[in-house]
Amino acid sequence: MELIDNFKHKGLRKKLVDTIRLKGITDEKVLAAIEKVPRHLFLDNVFLEFAAYEDKPFEIGAGQTISQPFTVAYQSYLLDVQKNEKVLEIGTGSGYQTCVLLELGAKVFSIERQKALYTKTKELLPKMGYKTQLFYGDGYKGLPNYAPYDKILVTAGAPYIPQDLISQLKIGGFMVIPVGEGKTQIMTTLFKKSETEIEKNELDTFRFVPLLEDKNWKNNA
Ligand code: SAH
């Protein structure tokens, strides 16, 4: 596949940004990042070349989805990424959200549990010029070897907040995680005030694919 990003794609991206702005995201840094990332390149279905810029999620294979741009913008806004911050992302999927975080200047470490998606995204991102660290593993365990993180972003619906992720957050660090056992989740933010104190805030309802638990995983690197 040739990686073409032409004026038509760029124009559609501007319109997408307008749509997201109208839906209430006013963080200019986030909007600029959305405007930069060529979302159509994450959908290898030629029929979706232009549909990629509608504010919709899409199937990306292995029963998984590329998040809706509004959701990506909203989670990125909540995460309030500063340049050079270390961010752990759970659920790499297509890598679209990963690239938005990279455009915001973060150093991103991202975990995906589906081998096929992991492999595909690991090949695609460098071709697009994005440098990041992708891992095949279980998001529930995080990545202890690179901890602590300034921020942690979970992009799948979690039945509960995994303790390992709280442990790997810096004091003063921040987590954004959709929490819920059923079909919908409550977008939740978590501020680590001290080793023992957590401040939790519950926001709007969303619908994510589930963060799957697999008891047979060995520990992540
Ligand atoms: N950020 C992605 C959204 C992908 S959907 C994007 O922008 O495209 C959520 C992803 O989480 C899926 O790819 C799914 O396979 C992955 N996932 C589910 N459970 C997981 C787990 N326990 N550890 C790591 N990834 C997981």
Side-chain angles (χ1 to χ4, degrees), residues 60 64-67 72 89-97 111-114 117 137-140 155-156 209-212:
I60 51 171
Q64 299 305 323
T65 52
I66 177 170
S67 302
V72 170
E89 181 194 26
I90 310 298
T92 316
S94 67
Y96 176 60
Q97 168 79 73
I111 312 177
E112 172 57 51
R113 75 180 286 283
Q114 296 252 15
L117 276 178
D138 179 10
Y140 278 90
T155 72
V209 298
L211 185 69
L212 295 173

mmCIF file of all heavy atoms in Angstrom, residues 60 64-67 72 89-97 111-114 117 137-140 155-156 209-212, ligand 1:
data_model
loop_
_atom_site.group_PDB
_atom_site.id
_atom_site.type_symbol
_atom_site.label_atom_id
_atom_site.label_comp_id
_atom_site.label_asym_id
_atom_site.label_seq_id
_atom_site.Cartn_x
_atom_site.Cartn_y
_atom_site.Cartn_z
ATOM 1 N N ILE A 60 -11.308 -2.775 12.348
ATOM 2 C CA ILE A 60 -9.938 -2.850 11.807
ATOM 3 C C ILE A 60 -9.429 -4.279 11.770
ATOM 4 O O ILE A 60 -8.236 -4.524 11.684
ATOM 5 C CB ILE A 60 -8.948 -1.975 12.611
ATOM 6 C CG1 ILE A 60 -9.042 -2.272 14.115
ATOM 7 C CG2 ILE A 60 -9.171 -0.503 12.317
ATOM 8 C CD1 ILE A 60 -7.960 -1.623 14.933
ATOM 9 N N GLN A 64 -11.726 -5.852 16.260
ATOM 10 C CA GLN A 64 -11.402 -4.621 16.980
ATOM 11 C C GLN A 64 -11.747 -3.399 16.154
ATOM 12 O O GLN A 64 -12.051 -3.503 14.973
ATOM 13 C CB GLN A 64 -9.933 -4.620 17.388
ATOM 14 C CG GLN A 64 -9.575 -5.759 18.320
ATOM 15 C CD GLN A 64 -10.455 -5.807 19.561
ATOM 16 O OE1 GLN A 64 -10.826 -4.772 20.107
ATOM 17 N NE2 GLN A 64 -10.811 -7.009 19.996
ATOM 18 N N THR A 65 -11.711 -2.240 16.791
ATOM 19 C CA THR A 65 -12.108 -1.018 16.101
ATOM 20 C C THR A 65 -11.048 0.067 16.256
ATOM 21 O O THR A 65 -10.273 0.050 17.204
ATOM 22 C CB THR A 65 -13.427 -0.464 16.683
ATOM 23 O OG1 THR A 65 -13.285 -0.347 18.097
ATOM 24 C CG2 THR A 65 -14.603 -1.363 16.380
ATOM 25 N N ILE A 66 -11.053 0.984 15.302
ATOM 26 C CA ILE A 66 -10.286 2.229 15.454
ATOM 27 C C ILE A 66 -11.274 3.188 16.109
ATOM 28 O O ILE A 66 -12.413 3.318 15.667
ATOM 29 C CB ILE A 66 -9.758 2.757 14.092
ATOM 30 C CG1 ILE A 66 -9.015 4.085 14.246
ATOM 31 C CG2 ILE A 66 -10.850 2.883 13.054
ATOM 32 C CD1 ILE A 66 -8.266 4.531 12.960
ATOM 33 N N SER A 67 -10.879 3.800 17.212
ATOM 34 C CA SER A 67 -11.799 4.647 17.969
ATOM 35 C C SER A 67 -12.325 5.796 17.116
ATOM 36 O O SER A 67 -11.677 6.244 16.168
ATOM 37 C CB SER A 67 -11.107 5.232 19.194
ATOM 38 O OG SER A 67 -10.621 4.217 20.025
ATOM 39 N N VAL A 72 -11.106 9.913 20.577
ATOM 40 C CA VAL A 72 -9.652 10.086 20.627
ATOM 41 C C VAL A 72 -9.312 11.513 21.081
ATOM 42 O O VAL A 72 -8.456 11.722 21.953
ATOM 43 C CB VAL A 72 -9.021 9.779 19.241
ATOM 44 C CG1 VAL A 72 -7.551 10.176 19.191
ATOM 45 C CG2 VAL A 72 -9.182 8.288 18.922
ATOM 46 N N GLU A 89 0.082 3.691 26.900
ATOM 47 C CA GLU A 89 -1.233 3.490 26.291
ATOM 48 C C GLU A 89 -1.582 2.001 26.328
ATOM 49 O O GLU A 89 -0.761 1.171 25.934
ATOM 50 C CB GLU A 89 -1.223 3.976 24.836
ATOM 51 C CG GLU A 89 -2.586 3.804 24.158
ATOM 52 C CD GLU A 89 -2.562 3.956 22.635
ATOM 53 O OE1 GLU A 89 -1.511 3.710 22.014
ATOM 54 O OE2 GLU A 89 -3.604 4.310 22.079
ATOM 55 N N ILE A 90 -2.788 1.693 26.754
ATOM 56 C CA ILE A 90 -3.240 0.298 26.766
ATOM 57 C C ILE A 90 -4.253 0.118 25.643
ATOM 58 O O ILE A 90 -5.299 0.779 25.634
ATOM 59 C CB ILE A 90 -3.913 -0.063 28.120
ATOM 60 C CG1 ILE A 90 -3.042 0.339 29.314
ATOM 61 C CG2 ILE A 90 -4.273 -1.548 28.143
ATOM 62 C CD1 ILE A 90 -1.709 -0.338 29.405
ATOM 63 N N GLY A 91 -3.932 -0.766 24.686
ATOM 64 C CA GLY A 91 -4.813 -1.001 23.541
ATOM 65 C C GLY A 91 -4.357 -0.203 22.337
ATOM 66 O O GLY A 91 -5.001 0.756 21.918
ATOM 67 N N THR A 92 -3.235 -0.612 21.749
ATOM 68 C CA THR A 92 -2.657 0.104 20.596
ATOM 69 C C THR A 92 -3.615 0.107 19.408
ATOM 70 O O THR A 92 -3.749 1.127 18.731
ATOM 71 C CB THR A 92 -1.352 -0.593 20.121
ATOM 72 O OG1 THR A 92 -0.553 -0.927 21.249
ATOM 73 C CG2 THR A 92 -0.583 0.258 19.147
ATOM 74 N N GLY A 93 -4.251 -1.051 19.183
ATOM 75 C CA GLY A 93 -5.165 -1.185 18.045
ATOM 76 C C GLY A 93 -4.511 -0.746 16.754
ATOM 77 O O GLY A 93 -3.401 -1.176 16.423
ATOM 78 N N SER A 94 -5.167 0.152 16.033
ATOM 79 C CA SER A 94 -4.644 0.629 14.754
ATOM 80 C C SER A 94 -3.403 1.505 14.915
ATOM 81 O O SER A 94 -2.660 1.711 13.966
ATOM 82 C CB SER A 94 -5.719 1.457 14.048
ATOM 83 O OG SER A 94 -5.946 2.658 14.794
ATOM 84 N N GLY A 95 -3.231 2.080 16.106
ATOM 85 C CA GLY A 95 -2.125 3.015 16.311
ATOM 86 C C GLY A 95 -2.536 4.470 16.093
ATOM 87 O O GLY A 95 -1.712 5.375 16.247
ATOM 88 N N TYR A 96 -3.798 4.696 15.758
ATOM 89 C CA TYR A 96 -4.247 6.072 15.491
ATOM 90 C C TYR A 96 -4.108 6.958 16.730
ATOM 91 O O TYR A 96 -3.499 8.040 16.669
ATOM 92 C CB TYR A 96 -5.698 6.055 14.988
ATOM 93 C CG TYR A 96 -6.284 7.427 14.770
ATOM 94 C CD1 TYR A 96 -5.710 8.307 13.855
ATOM 95 C CD2 TYR A 96 -7.402 7.855 15.488
ATOM 96 C CE1 TYR A 96 -6.232 9.572 13.663
ATOM 97 C CE2 TYR A 96 -7.935 9.119 15.294
ATOM 98 C CZ TYR A 96 -7.345 9.971 14.388
ATOM 99 O OH TYR A 96 -7.859 11.235 14.195
ATOM 100 N N GLN A 97 -4.647 6.482 17.853
ATOM 101 C CA GLN A 97 -4.529 7.267 19.093
ATOM 102 C C GLN A 97 -3.058 7.451 19.484
ATOM 103 O O GLN A 97 -2.663 8.521 19.935
ATOM 104 C CB GLN A 97 -5.313 6.572 20.210
ATOM 105 C CG GLN A 97 -5.057 7.108 21.610
ATOM 106 C CD GLN A 97 -5.790 8.397 21.923
ATOM 107 O OE1 GLN A 97 -6.984 8.413 22.113
ATOM 108 N NE2 GLN A 97 -5.042 9.499 21.969
ATOM 109 N N ILE A 111 0.697 -0.927 24.484
ATOM 110 C CA ILE A 111 0.551 -2.396 24.561
ATOM 111 C C ILE A 111 -0.702 -2.856 23.830
ATOM 112 O O ILE A 111 -1.767 -2.250 23.971
ATOM 113 C CB ILE A 111 0.392 -2.868 26.026
ATOM 114 C CG1 ILE A 111 1.436 -2.234 26.931
ATOM 115 C CG2 ILE A 111 0.478 -4.389 26.118
ATOM 116 C CD1 ILE A 111 1.255 -2.614 28.398
ATOM 117 N N GLU A 112 -0.565 -3.946 23.079
ATOM 118 C CA GLU A 112 -1.713 -4.552 22.394
ATOM 119 C C GLU A 112 -1.680 -6.062 22.633
ATOM 120 O O GLU A 112 -0.623 -6.685 22.551
ATOM 121 C CB GLU A 112 -1.643 -4.228 20.890
ATOM 122 C CG GLU A 112 -2.635 -4.936 20.016
ATOM 123 C CD GLU A 112 -4.090 -4.705 20.414
ATOM 124 O OE1 GLU A 112 -4.503 -3.548 20.576
ATOM 125 O OE2 GLU A 112 -4.809 -5.710 20.589
ATOM 126 N N ARG A 113 -2.844 -6.660 22.892
ATOM 127 C CA ARG A 113 -2.880 -8.097 23.180
ATOM 128 C C ARG A 113 -3.188 -8.961 21.968
ATOM 129 O O ARG A 113 -3.099 -10.177 22.030
ATOM 130 C CB ARG A 113 -3.879 -8.407 24.293
ATOM 131 C CG ARG A 113 -5.312 -8.350 23.869
ATOM 132 C CD ARG A 113 -6.252 -8.663 24.989
ATOM 133 N NE ARG A 113 -6.302 -10.082 25.342
ATOM 134 C CZ ARG A 113 -6.951 -11.006 24.660
ATOM 135 N NH1 ARG A 113 -7.584 -10.691 23.552
ATOM 136 N NH2 ARG A 113 -6.982 -12.238 25.070
ATOM 137 N N GLN A 114 -3.572 -8.336 20.841
ATOM 138 C CA GLN A 114 -3.836 -9.119 19.630
ATOM 139 C C GLN A 114 -2.585 -9.089 18.759
ATOM 140 O O GLN A 114 -2.217 -8.041 18.238
ATOM 141 C CB GLN A 114 -4.990 -8.482 18.835
ATOM 142 C CG GLN A 114 -6.301 -8.492 19.565
ATOM 143 C CD GLN A 114 -7.271 -9.490 18.976
ATOM 144 O OE1 GLN A 114 -6.864 -10.359 18.200
ATOM 145 N NE2 GLN A 114 -8.530 -9.376 19.347
ATOM 146 N N LEU A 117 -2.776 -7.446 15.200
ATOM 147 C CA LEU A 117 -2.847 -5.977 15.210
ATOM 148 C C LEU A 117 -1.508 -5.372 15.606
ATOM 149 O O LEU A 117 -1.047 -4.382 15.024
ATOM 150 C CB LEU A 117 -3.904 -5.513 16.217
ATOM 151 C CG LEU A 117 -5.345 -5.480 15.749
ATOM 152 C CD1 LEU A 117 -6.243 -5.052 16.898
ATOM 153 C CD2 LEU A 117 -5.486 -4.522 14.582
ATOM 154 N N GLY A 137 1.473 -7.642 24.571
ATOM 155 C CA GLY A 137 1.367 -8.083 25.956
ATOM 156 C C GLY A 137 -0.001 -7.782 26.543
ATOM 157 O O GLY A 137 -0.926 -7.393 25.826
ATOM 158 N N ASP A 138 -0.093 -7.961 27.828
ATOM 159 C CA ASP A 138 -1.357 -7.780 28.533
ATOM 160 C C ASP A 138 -1.397 -6.436 29.244
ATOM 161 O O ASP A 138 -0.638 -6.194 30.178
ATOM 162 C CB ASP A 138 -1.535 -8.915 29.550
ATOM 163 C CG ASP A 138 -2.829 -8.766 30.327
ATOM 164 O OD1 ASP A 138 -3.668 -7.922 29.956
ATOM 165 O OD2 ASP A 138 -3.005 -9.507 31.314
ATOM 166 N N GLY A 139 -2.303 -5.603 28.787
ATOM 167 C CA GLY A 139 -2.446 -4.258 29.335
ATOM 168 C C GLY A 139 -2.745 -4.212 30.820
ATOM 169 O O GLY A 139 -2.408 -3.232 31.491
ATOM 170 N N TYR A 140 -3.398 -5.239 31.349
ATOM 171 C CA TYR A 140 -3.699 -5.248 32.786
ATOM 172 C C TYR A 140 -2.431 -5.169 33.629
ATOM 173 O O TYR A 140 -2.448 -4.691 34.752
ATOM 174 C CB TYR A 140 -4.458 -6.526 33.182
ATOM 175 C CG TYR A 140 -5.935 -6.452 32.904
ATOM 176 C CD1 TYR A 140 -6.455 -6.873 31.681
ATOM 177 C CD2 TYR A 140 -6.815 -5.961 33.865
ATOM 178 C CE1 TYR A 140 -7.810 -6.809 31.422
ATOM 179 C CE2 TYR A 140 -8.177 -5.894 33.620
ATOM 180 C CZ TYR A 140 -8.670 -6.320 32.390
ATOM 181 O OH TYR A 140 -10.007 -6.245 32.145
ATOM 182 N N THR A 155 -7.555 2.540 26.257
ATOM 183 C CA THR A 155 -8.467 2.788 25.132
ATOM 184 C C THR A 155 -9.418 1.618 24.889
ATOM 185 O O THR A 155 -9.960 1.471 23.806
ATOM 186 C CB THR A 155 -7.696 3.135 23.833
ATOM 187 O OG1 THR A 155 -7.066 1.949 23.347
ATOM 188 C CG2 THR A 155 -6.660 4.209 24.054
ATOM 189 N N ALA A 156 -9.602 0.782 25.923
ATOM 190 C CA ALA A 156 -10.607 -0.291 25.873
ATOM 191 C C ALA A 156 -11.387 -0.208 27.184
ATOM 192 O O ALA A 156 -10.881 0.332 28.179
ATOM 193 C CB ALA A 156 -9.926 -1.652 25.718
ATOM 194 N N VAL A 209 -14.668 -1.260 23.011
ATOM 195 C CA VAL A 209 -14.506 -2.721 23.003
ATOM 196 C C VAL A 209 -13.869 -3.077 24.349
ATOM 197 O O VAL A 209 -13.180 -2.265 24.945
ATOM 198 C CB VAL A 209 -13.643 -3.236 21.814
ATOM 199 C CG1 VAL A 209 -14.297 -2.913 20.497
ATOM 200 C CG2 VAL A 209 -12.225 -2.679 21.862
ATOM 201 N N PRO A 210 -14.115 -4.302 24.842
ATOM 202 C CA PRO A 210 -13.647 -4.616 26.199
ATOM 203 C C PRO A 210 -12.140 -4.799 26.328
ATOM 204 O O PRO A 210 -11.480 -5.271 25.403
ATOM 205 C CB PRO A 210 -14.374 -5.926 26.519
ATOM 206 C CG PRO A 210 -14.695 -6.527 25.207
ATOM 207 C CD PRO A 210 -14.886 -5.399 24.244
ATOM 208 N N LEU A 211 -11.638 -4.405 27.479
ATOM 209 C CA LEU A 211 -10.265 -4.715 27.859
ATOM 210 C C LEU A 211 -10.311 -6.147 28.366
ATOM 211 O O LEU A 211 -10.911 -6.439 29.399
ATOM 212 C CB LEU A 211 -9.807 -3.766 28.971
ATOM 213 C CG LEU A 211 -8.352 -3.884 29.405
ATOM 214 C CD1 LEU A 211 -7.413 -3.408 28.307
ATOM 215 C CD2 LEU A 211 -8.090 -3.079 30.669
ATOM 216 N N LEU A 212 -9.726 -7.046 27.581
ATOM 217 C CA LEU A 212 -9.874 -8.476 27.870
ATOM 218 C C LEU A 212 -8.810 -8.972 28.832
ATOM 219 O O LEU A 212 -7.647 -8.573 28.745
ATOM 220 C CB LEU A 212 -9.819 -9.277 26.569
ATOM 221 C CG LEU A 212 -10.980 -9.008 25.611
ATOM 222 C CD1 LEU A 212 -10.756 -9.715 24.283
ATOM 223 C CD2 LEU A 212 -12.311 -9.426 26.231
HETATM 224 N N1 SAH B 1 -6.370 3.136 20.446
HETATM 225 C C1 SAH B 1 -6.946 2.298 19.438
HETATM 226 C C2 SAH B 1 -8.293 1.768 19.868
HETATM 227 C C3 SAH B 1 -8.347 0.302 19.703
HETATM 228 S S1 SAH B 1 -9.723 -0.513 20.431
HETATM 229 C C4 SAH B 1 -7.017 3.015 18.114
HETATM 230 O O1 SAH B 1 -6.861 4.235 18.084
HETATM 231 O O2 SAH B 1 -7.189 2.361 17.093
HETATM 232 C C5 SAH B 1 -8.986 -1.216 21.895
HETATM 233 C C6 SAH B 1 -7.806 -2.139 21.704
HETATM 234 O O3 SAH B 1 -7.486 -2.702 22.984
HETATM 235 C C7 SAH B 1 -8.058 -3.333 20.782
HETATM 236 O O4 SAH B 1 -7.088 -3.328 19.771
HETATM 237 C C8 SAH B 1 -7.895 -4.546 21.696
HETATM 238 O O5 SAH B 1 -7.325 -5.667 21.059
HETATM 239 C C9 SAH B 1 -6.996 -4.003 22.782
HETATM 240 N N2 SAH B 1 -7.052 -4.744 24.042
HETATM 241 C C10 SAH B 1 -8.101 -5.354 24.636
HETATM 242 N N3 SAH B 1 -7.734 -5.924 25.796
HETATM 243 C C11 SAH B 1 -6.408 -5.670 25.953
HETATM 244 C C12 SAH B 1 -5.445 -6.007 26.963
HETATM 245 N N4 SAH B 1 -5.760 -6.715 28.051
HETATM 246 N N5 SAH B 1 -4.176 -5.565 26.804
HETATM 247 C C13 SAH B 1 -3.819 -4.832 25.704
HETATM 248 N N6 SAH B 1 -4.687 -4.494 24.728
HETATM 249 C C14 SAH B 1 -5.953 -4.896 24.843
#
